[in-house]
Amino acid sequence: MTKRKTPMLDELEKGKWPSFISDMKQEAEAREKTSVDLQTPKECVDDLLGLLELTYVDKVVHWKHGGIVGVFGYGGGVIGRYCDRPDEFPGVRDFHTMRVNQPSSKFYSTEYLRQICELWERRGSGLTNMHGSTGDIILLGTTTPQLEEVFWELTDNLDQDLGGSGSNLRTPSCCIGKARCEFACYDTQAICTDFTMEYQDELHRPAFPYKFKFKFDGCPNGCVASIARSDMSIIGTWRDDIRIDQEAVKAYVGGELKPNGGAHSGRDWGAFDIQKEVVDLCPTGCMGWDGSKLNIDNKECTRCMHCINVMPRALRIGEDTGASILFGAKAPILEGAQMSTLTVPFMKIEEPYEELKDLVEKVWDYWSEEGKNRERLGELMQREGFQKFLEVCELDADPRMIQEPRSNPYIFWKEEDVEGGWDRDIKAFRKKHQK
Amino acid sequence: MGYDPKDPLKDRITDIGPKDYKEFLPSVIKENYGKWLYHEILEPGVLMHVSETGAKVYTVRVGGCRLMSVTHIREICEISDKHCDGYLRFTTRNNVEFMVDDEAKLKPLMDDLEGREFAGGSKKFPRGGTGAGLTNIVHTQGWIHCHTPAIDASGVVKAVMDELYDDFQDMRFPAQVRISLACCLNMCGAVHCSDIAILGIHRMPPMLDHEHLDNMCEIPLAIAACPTGAIKPATVNGKKSVAVKNEKCMFCGNCYTMCPSMPLADEEGSGVALLVGGKISNRISQPKFSKVVVPFIPNEPPRWPSTVEAIKKILYAYVDDAKKYERLGDWAERIGWERFFEKTELPFTGHLIDDYRFAYTTWRQSTQFKF
């Protein structure tokens, strides 16, 4: 049993969904009984439960603002946290977070996870997040002296590094990709790992105006939300034709194959109707069904994935695959939420990814030079304009980059755009045009 | 051997990055990498992926808590060792996936997962979260470990998921529904493109700790942090500090991020806003932002009943009325936002009309509306 009375939190043990309170209590009990030589306060989970109970009563958080701690030589990966009631809850007086860089798409061996558990039971609170919002394994709560100890054991014994925080490159993340998805247009896991290794310095040592995120989505379904959540979104796509198996299309129409891979099977939506459910919902109207053959005018297709999602056994992504590159997504702080803007409609994504890395470095040079303190790339793009951004990227304007052309005619012409330049002679003008 | 505080740089290893993902792939995944042909959802929470080699991988997806103890992770490892050759994966939405390479191994795995409960009675491994249904809520840290939250995260998620539990294990929705929670406007959880977003907000301007402000903060940074220019330098009782023009405050909390002497969180002032209709996928319609439809609900620990009720109203109005494949935002746009408020029975107030950047683009410049 836990030491502290937590009547409010106990309410969260009820109901069927897994209870994090029950889990914390079992950890508190395990710490009480363990024979491990714990290097952090034995009662830290009890105290965390107590602190949370107090917060549930007060309805205002009991963690102090920030705290500058870290491991030597790194400017990220550790988040300082101190509670504001150490008098009552000494076990969580200092209770810092460490971010551990997850492997691409979060497959694990139990051998590795057990090593993490052993380390964190002894040198931390035994509580984690699997995973944090950006993707890292979050080791939740340890004391200041343990930070270097944990880092040493991670790197020396587990061959494992920390992730990013602060004005660093944040830990890159990717979808499951080719490991278990038929829609992956490039190897998201391979490039995610490659970029993480290439930019270790940027990940560990803050040198940017603010955070910078890469996210790698294998297709336009966007399972890692790169278009909403990353300063640079790499989203898989293709530029040739959707592959069609007409026999399988007929099997879907005939009811032999389950549409949507069975995703809608919890309700009776009636017999599958290819006209209504696929052809009529195509956003570009580029499909036709004549009762025996499905036609796609691929030139007009915008690769929204709907038809492929509905009939995965009949339709497959094309073979000339790569990615669209978009920049500038972020949450609302400060200028309002932004999604990424299409900047490179198509690029092949193949090792060693030189073309993409060239682009990354051009963008970073620009942002580091022009970005204000705590200005995300997307805000800089808005402040200085997309034309400027294209100049930085050394790209030509393309109608694919916009929703629509501008409706205001206030064009910032440059002198070199205008025949004869801007130097004029007022005296010559006056000879023709009197005052 | 180990870390030596007297010689911290001895044997120091840095910049080695993450573990190589290839070490962690189960053999059926490794052998069929890039060869997958199609997949099928056999029942809620159970996926089958078929490779061009004929190999199949069966995945059992179970909901998990973002907050997880090492005791619980060890239990996951034990299950994986027993059924899955010692491999598993986590999804981006805090689900856990157990994979087997033979259909015969599915049932024992599912039975094993099904039977496990926490001491308090909740399920440890609820199966579901696939297809046109509800999957796990992604969320931020909340009161458990964040320093700027307006609301808790894990507790709100638990309260909502308990109520919507059956729909985690079903696939009766018109399309998938993604609920996300961010405990303040910093939005570590980036909930701004979710079908339903639960967002922690403040309604009181920062308190000013004049006594300590100059020692704790870089005053110019605090001033520059304000997006509406509401903060000015001031001298109070002979000490350098700041003054805030309260009527210009939009309660974003950015000043507090820069200056610990300007806390915003408050028992009455802070609470929940609900946003709806965002999406990330490019399927049929383009990605879109979520829109604020409930400006404020008070914090109601431990189970946030008003928040849960409002979410149920929105969700089930959508489920009852939308067409197959329509995401929540597509439905709201088709029927019109005036109808959305009617069908969800949510009150529409002036707080829901935008007055920040690009506000004009969200007003109606048309006579096309519904009575």
Side-chain angles (χ1 to χ4, degrees):
Chain A
M1 279 306 289
T2 49
K3 285 188 299 187
R4 296 181 180 277
K5 290 249 180 297
T6 55
M8 296 274 265
L9 300 185
D10 295 351
E11 289 297 313
L12 290 172
E13 292 201 88
K14 298 173 182 168
K16 286 193 215 164
W17 187 252
S19 168
F20 68 105
I21 297 295
S22 297
D23 192 13
M24 288 172 74
K25 286 186 178 179
Q26 76 170 359
E27 193 58 32
E29 207 172 314
R31 286 179 81 81
E32 193 58 43
K33 288 183 191 155
T34 186
S35 55
V36 172
D37 58 331
L38 299 179
Q39 301 296 300
T40 49
K42 195 170 199 145
E43 69 285 7
C44 67
V45 179
D46 264 320
D47 281 1
L48 183 61
L49 282 162
L51 187 79
L52 189 61
E53 176 74 17
L54 180 66
T55 312
Y56 268 51
V57 174
D58 290 347
K59 299 196 254 186
V60 174
V61 76
H62 279 288
W63 296 103
K64 287 186 191 176
H65 186 286
I68 298 169
V69 288
V71 294
F72 190 80
Y74 279 12
V78 181
I79 322 295
R81 199 62 83 228
Y82 297 89
C83 101
D84 68 6
R85 293 302 303 275
D87 52 334
E88 255 198 81
F89 307 100
V92 291
R93 176 190 308 274
D94 43 343
F95 203 64
H96 313 308
T97 294
M98 301 184 83
R99 291 187 183 164
V100 176
N101 195 149
Q102 84 287 0
S104 277
S105 69
K106 306 186 183 81
F107 281 90
Y108 291 102
S109 70
T110 55
E111 183 194 356
Y112 169 82
L113 285 179
R114 285 201 171 93
Q115 287 176 316
I116 291 279
C117 289
E118 193 181 327
L119 167 61
W120 197 242
E121 177 182 31
R122 181 158 176 262
R123 297 200 177 276
S125 66
L127 299 177
T128 75
N129 289 153
M130 298 297 286
H131 297 72
S133 296
T134 300
D136 299 276
I137 299 173
I138 307 289
L139 301 179
L140 203 67
T142 193
T143 59
T144 309
Q146 289 302 313
L147 295 172
E148 289 289 355
E149 302 274 0
V150 172
F151 181 71
W152 200 95
E153 289 198 23
L154 278 175
T155 50
D156 274 68
N157 299 345
L158 272 70
D159 190 25
Q160 169 68 61
D161 209 334
L162 296 181
S165 67
S167 293
N168 293 21
L169 172 65
R170 297 301 183 85
T171 309
S173 74
C174 63
C175 69
I176 191 166
K178 288 181 183 284
R180 204 197 56 201
C181 183
E182 64 270 31
F183 302 148
C185 297
Y186 66 95
D187 191 341
T188 57
Q189 288 174 283
I191 190 175
C192 184
T193 301
D194 183 285
F195 269 50
T196 309
M197 297 311 292
E198 174 87 22
Y199 298 117
Q200 280 289 296
D201 191 31
E202 288 79 0
L203 198 152
H204 296 305
R205 294 165 195 92
F208 292 145
Y210 203 8
K211 64 181 92 169
F212 192 93
K213 298 184 181 185
F214 293 121
K215 288 192 193 290
F216 301 92
D217 271 316
C219 84
N221 280 332
C223 290
V224 287
S226 66
I227 202 164
R229 303 193 51 188
S230 54
D231 301 271
M232 183 171 179
S233 322
I234 298 92
I235 304 178
T237 196
W238 66 93
R239 57 183 171 183
D240 56 347
D241 293 354
I242 292 174
R243 287 173 280 172
I244 309 182
D245 175 347
Q246 295 290 354
E247 290 310 307
V249 174
K250 281 185 203 152
Y252 277 110
V253 173
E256 294 140 51
L257 295 175
K258 273 195 273 182
N260 307 290
H264 291 256
S265 59
R267 193 196 295 196
D268 182 7
W269 292 96
F272 176 60
D273 181 342
I274 192 170
Q275 182 68 36
K276 192 171 139 210
E277 297 188 38
V278 179
V279 175
D280 292 349
L281 289 180
C282 171
T284 64
C286 73
M287 308 183 85
W289 168 251
D290 63 8
S292 64
K293 195 169 177 228
L294 183 71
N295 289 300
I296 302 178
D297 181 359
N298 279 281
K299 195 165 182 295
E300 299 307 311
C301 171
T302 53
R303 302 164 312 285
C304 86
M305 295 298 293
H306 176 63
C307 59
I308 298 176
N309 287 333
V310 175
M311 302 191 292
R313 293 181 72 166
L315 302 178
R316 298 179 68 192
I317 59 168
E319 292 178 300
D320 185 10
T321 57
S324 301
I325 317 297
L326 301 84
F327 286 95
K330 52 178 280 292
I333 297 286
L334 235 196
E335 299 285 327
Q338 286 178 227
M339 278 190 254
S340 284
T341 298
L342 181 67
T343 306
V344 180
F346 185 87
M347 188 187 279
K348 293 298 275 187
I349 304 293
E350 283 156 5
E351 284 179 285
Y353 316 112
E354 267 167 24
E355 194 184 354
L356 195 55
K357 287 175 185 168
D358 279 351
L359 182 61
V360 169
E361 283 152 35
K362 280 176 201 160
V363 170
W364 280 354
D365 281 349
Y366 165 60
W367 180 48
S368 298
E369 192 69 33
E370 302 297 333
K372 297 184 201 169
N373 183 35
R374 296 185 78 236
E375 183 174 49
R376 289 286 286 271
L377 176 66
E379 288 164 341
L380 175 62
M381 287 165 65
Q382 282 229 38
R383 182 162 63 82
E384 297 213 324
F386 194 64
Q387 297 97 313
K388 170 73 186 175
F389 189 66
L390 289 180
E391 279 170 31
V392 167
C393 296
E394 297 175 61
L395 293 168
D396 292 329
D398 185 307
R400 290 168 190 84
M401 298 165 178
I402 55 165
Q403 288 284 359
E404 57 188 28
R406 68 192 309 153
S407 51
N408 76 69
Y410 305 128
I411 300 167
F412 286 97
W413 293 106
K414 289 185 180 149
E415 186 169 11
E416 61 265 30
D417 293 332
V418 184
E419 298 77 6
W422 287 349
D423 271 342
R424 287 184 288 167
D425 182 355
I426 187 70
K427 284 186 182 139
F429 179 78
R430 285 290 167 235
K431 276 183 191 159
K432 286 190 188 174
H433 307 279
Q434 296 173 8
K435 272 196 284 187
Chain B
M1 277 301 287
Y3 173 71
D4 180 2
K6 290 193 205 92
D7 189 3
L9 294 185
K10 186 165 161 267
D11 297 333
R12 194 170 189 87
I13 296 171
T14 66
D15 299 84
I16 55 171
K19 296 287 279 188
D20 186 345
Y21 63 96
K22 292 190 211 81
E23 288 177 34
F24 294 151
L25 301 178
S27 54
V28 62
I29 296 288
K30 203 178 279 179
E31 286 154 18
N32 296 285
Y33 198 94
K35 295 180 185 165
W36 300 104
L37 275 183
Y38 66 92
H39 73 279
E40 211 172 283
I41 306 172
L42 302 179
E43 60 177 276
V46 183
L47 303 152
M48 173 184 71
H49 287 81
V50 180
S51 160
E52 62 190 34
T53 67
K56 294 176 179 171
V57 61
Y58 298 87
T59 303
V60 178
R61 181 179 293 168
V62 298
C65 296
R66 168 178 156 141
L67 183 80
M68 205 173 262
S69 73
V70 297
T71 303
H72 191 66
I73 296 171
R74 283 167 171 154
E75 189 170 343
I76 290 170
C77 290
E78 176 211 318
I79 296 167
S80 169
D81 285 345
K82 200 161 135 197
H83 300 276
C84 314
D85 302 324
Y87 296 99
L88 62 123
R89 81 175 279 265
F90 289 82
T91 73
T92 50
R93 303 191 74 89
N94 306 318
N95 294 312
V96 188
E97 291 186 340
F98 295 93
M99 285 152 283
V100 291
D101 56 8
D102 184 347
E103 197 167 5
K105 297 176 184 172
L106 256 183
K107 192 162 185 311
L109 168 64
M110 283 155 64
D111 288 347
D112 190 351
L113 291 165
E114 184 83 37
R116 294 173 188 254
E117 291 180 356
F118 282 110
S122 62
K123 293 278 182 192
K124 280 181 175 166
F125 303 107
R127 193 169 72 240
T130 49
L134 178 72
T135 187
N136 205 344
I137 299 179
V138 284
H139 64 92
T140 57
Q141 203 65 272
W143 286 339
I144 196 98
H145 207 237
C146 178
H147 65 159
T148 62
I151 59 173
D152 188 30
S154 298
V156 184
V157 166
K158 163 74 174 151
V160 173
M161 287 307 287
D162 275 342
E163 280 290 315
L164 305 180
Y165 187 87
D166 291 346
D167 279 314
F168 180 77
Q169 302 202 309
D170 205 344
M171 302 190 291
R172 67 184 186 100
F173 289 177
Q176 68 266 48
V177 170
R178 301 283 183 257
I179 307 184
S180 312
L181 180 148
C183 56
C184 85
L185 282 164
N186 282 334
M187 276 198 201
C188 313
V191 302
H192 55 284
C193 296
S194 309
D195 292 288
I196 300 179
I198 306 164
L199 176 65
I201 60 158
H202 302 291
R203 296 183 305 163
M204 289 190 189
M207 282 184 282
L208 303 173
D209 189 356
H210 295 302
E211 187 76 13
H212 302 107
L213 197 140
D214 190 30
N215 293 332
M216 300 288 285
C217 312
E218 292 284 348
I219 288 177
L221 288 182
I223 291 168
C226 182
T228 66
I231 306 175
K232 312 184 291 199
T235 302
V236 181
N237 298 330
K239 290 194 169 182
K240 277 190 203 163
S241 186
V242 298
V244 176
K245 201 164 198 180
N246 285 342
E247 60 274 22
K248 283 175 84 176
C249 181
M250 62 176 198
F251 316 98
C252 69
N254 205 44
C255 53
Y256 182 62
T257 297
M258 300 310 286
C259 173
S261 298
M262 302 178 73
L264 281 87
D266 182 84
E267 185 177 346
E268 303 296 333
S270 306
V272 174
L274 296 178
L275 293 78
V276 307
K279 71 193 274 273
I280 276 153
S281 151
N282 287 274
R283 184 175 183 174
I284 305 178
S285 63
Q286 296 184 8
K288 50 185 138 215
F289 290 122
S290 313
K291 285 92 183 167
V292 184
V293 295
V294 179
F296 185 78
I297 303 171
N299 261 319
E300 296 170 322
R303 295 201 69 100
W304 282 266
S306 307
T307 298
V308 172
E309 267 322 294
I311 289 171
K312 281 170 72 178
K313 270 188 185 171
I314 295 164
L315 181 63
Y316 294 127
Y318 155 72
V319 169
D320 290 346
D321 197 54
K323 295 180 181 173
K324 191 178 181 186
Y325 303 114
E326 234 170 17
R327 292 287 289 263
L328 204 154
D330 296 328
W331 165 69
E333 284 172 13
R334 177 173 59 82
I335 64 172
W337 287 97
E338 59 270 55
R339 264 312 163 264
F340 170 88
F341 285 95
E342 193 178 294
K343 285 184 190 283
T344 56
E345 297 171 5
L346 298 172
F348 186 84
T349 70
H351 298 116
L352 303 177
I353 300 173
D354 197 356
D355 47 13
Y356 194 49
R357 315 254 198 268
F358 323 120
Y360 170 81
T361 62
T362 67
W363 307 340
R364 194 185 311 264
Q365 286 90 37
S366 160
T367 56
Q368 294 186 7
F369 64 88
K370 293 180 182 175
F371 286 107

